[in-house]
Amino acid sequence: MKVLLINPYELGRQPFGLAEPAAWLAREDCDVSCCDLSLQRLDNCLTADTDIVAIYVAMHTATRIAVEALPKIRRLAPGAHLCVYGLYAPMNEPLLRTLGVDTVIGGEYESGLVQLVRNLRAGRPGATDIPRINLGKTSFLLPDRSRLPALSRYASLILPDGTHRTVGFTETTRGCKYHCRHCPIVPVYEGRFFVVPAAVVLADIRAQVAAGAQHISFGDPDFFNGPGHALRIVRAMRAEFPALTFDATIKVEHLVKYPDEIRELGKLGCLFILSAVEALDDAILTRLDKGHTRADFLAALALMRAAGIDLAPTFVAFTPWTTLDGYIDLLRQLAALQLVEAVAPVQLSIRLLIPAGSRVLGIAGMQETVGAFDPATLGHPWRNPDARVDALQQAVADWITRAEAADTPRGEIFRGIWRLAWEIRGQAAPALDLAAAGSPVPRLSENWYCCAEPTCEQLVSF
C-alpha cells in the first residue's frame, strides 16, 4: 500500500510527527514517502497511484495550509483515502469532513494510522473502529527520518556571533498535564501526557547527530512535565555528545519550582529556554489559568540568568483584555529587563487564537466578545472593547513584516513598535534608550509561536 505523509508546516523543524508514523507504517510493509510542504512541492511528492494521503496538523498554521492544499491533493490523487491527523485534527473535524477528508485522528495517532492501513487492505471502511481521539499508550519506535529533507535544510541555530549550527528536533513527551485555558492541547489531551522512552529519544538524537545535528531542540509542550525523565535524557546525551547543545520549552511555573534542575540544565549544555509567559498583567494571566504571576516571571528570569541560560519569553500580546496602557507597560518592562533581543518581534504582534473547543469560550463575558467559528481562519473571531487596540495589533504586525523583510535589527523593530503604541494613544513616544536593552542571544532562525492568530505569511506555495 502506497502512503504519503505530509507535513504542511512546523516552525522550520524536521517533523517528529512524520518520522515516527513513517517507522510504524514501514513495519506494516507500506511503501511510505514523506513530503514537507515548507521545503517541497506536492507535484514532486504525490502521484495518482497513492492509496493514502495522511496530513499532519500539529499547529494552527499547518491546518490552514492543509485546508488550502486539499483540493490540489484530490486532483493529483483522486482515488486516495484522505486522512488528517495530529493535535488540530479533531477540533476541526466538521470542516475537514466537508472538504472530503475521510479519516480524522487526534491524540496518539500512530496506532490509528496503522489500523487505517489494515482496514483498507481488508476492504473494510477506513475509520469505523479508529478513535477520533486516542489517549491509549503508544509503543514508540525509532523515528525514520530517512524519507525527510536533510536537517541542513531546516531551521538553524544562530549564535550571538552570527554563526549557524545545524539543529535536530525530537520529543521526550507528548500532551501536557496542565489546563491553560487558551492552549489547544487541553481539549485533546485533557491533562494527560505520554512519555517517549529514553532509549528511543537517545537513539533518535544519535541518528540526527550522525546526520549533522550540532544542537537539539526538544519540542515537548513542556520539557518538565516529567523533569526526572527529561534530566535522564540530557545527562545521557551530554555524556555521549559533550559538545552538543540544546534548548527546550518549560513553563514559568516549572522554572521557579525546579531551581536545582534548571541550574543543572545550564551545566548540561542548555543554551536557552522558551517559556510561554503570555502576559505581564496578572489579571490576564489569571483569566488564562497560566499558573504563574508577573512576580514568578521575574523570579524565573533571575534564576535563568544566574544559571547561564537565556530565557526566550513568548507572549500573546493582544487579547480581549489587553489595554493600550498594558501593552505599553509590556514594552517598557521588556526594555528595562534587557529582553529586547531575547523576544522575537512576532511575539509582540500575536493575537489570541480561540479555536473550536477552546476553554477560553468558558470565561465569563466571552459570549459578548467572541463571534461564531469562522472556517476561513479556523477560529472564533473577537474584538477588543477598545478599537484602538485592534488597530495597534494590525499596525504592529504590518510593521514587523516590513522590517523583518528588510533585515532590520530587533532593537530598531522594537523602537518602531514603541512609537506605534504611543501614536495610537495620541501622544509622542518618550525617548527609549536601548543601549542597555540586552545583547543578542542564541535563537533558532525560525520564530516560535503558539496559541496565536498568525497572519499566515507562513502559508507556503505547494
Side-chain angles (χ1 to χ4, degrees), residues 247-280:
D247 69 81
T249 300
I250 301 178
K251 281 171 63 71
V252 170
E253 183 178 353
H254 284 160
L255 295 176
V256 296
K257 183 178 180 179
Y258 298 108
D260 292 340
E261 290 81 354
I262 295 301
R263 284 187 279 268
E264 185 175 358
L265 290 184
K267 296 174 183 177
L268 292 170
C270 184
L271 294 185
F272 64 92
I273 290 174
L274 288 155
S275 194
V277 178
E278 314 301 39
L280 296 185

Side-chain angles (χ1 to χ4, degrees), residues 226-302:
H229 177 62
L231 282 167
R232 281 192 294 274
I233 288 170
V234 291
R235 286 168 185 156
M237 183 177 79
R238 184 70 165 184
E240 188 170 352
F241 304 108
L244 195 63
T245 56
F246 67 95
D247 69 81
T249 300
I250 301 178
K251 281 171 63 71
V252 170
E253 183 178 353
H254 284 160
L255 295 176
V256 296
K257 183 178 180 179
Y258 298 108
D260 292 340
E261 290 81 354
I262 295 301
R263 284 187 279 268
E264 185 175 358
L265 290 184
K267 296 174 183 177
L268 292 170
C270 184
L271 294 185
F272 64 92
I273 290 174
L274 288 155
S275 194
V277 178
E278 314 301 39
L280 296 185
D281 181 322
D282 283 337
I284 293 176
L285 291 170
T286 298
R287 285 188 174 98
L288 297 180
D289 198 14
K290 278 301 298 177
H292 71 259
T293 63
R294 178 174 178 145
D296 291 331
F297 163 67
L298 297 175
L301 177 61

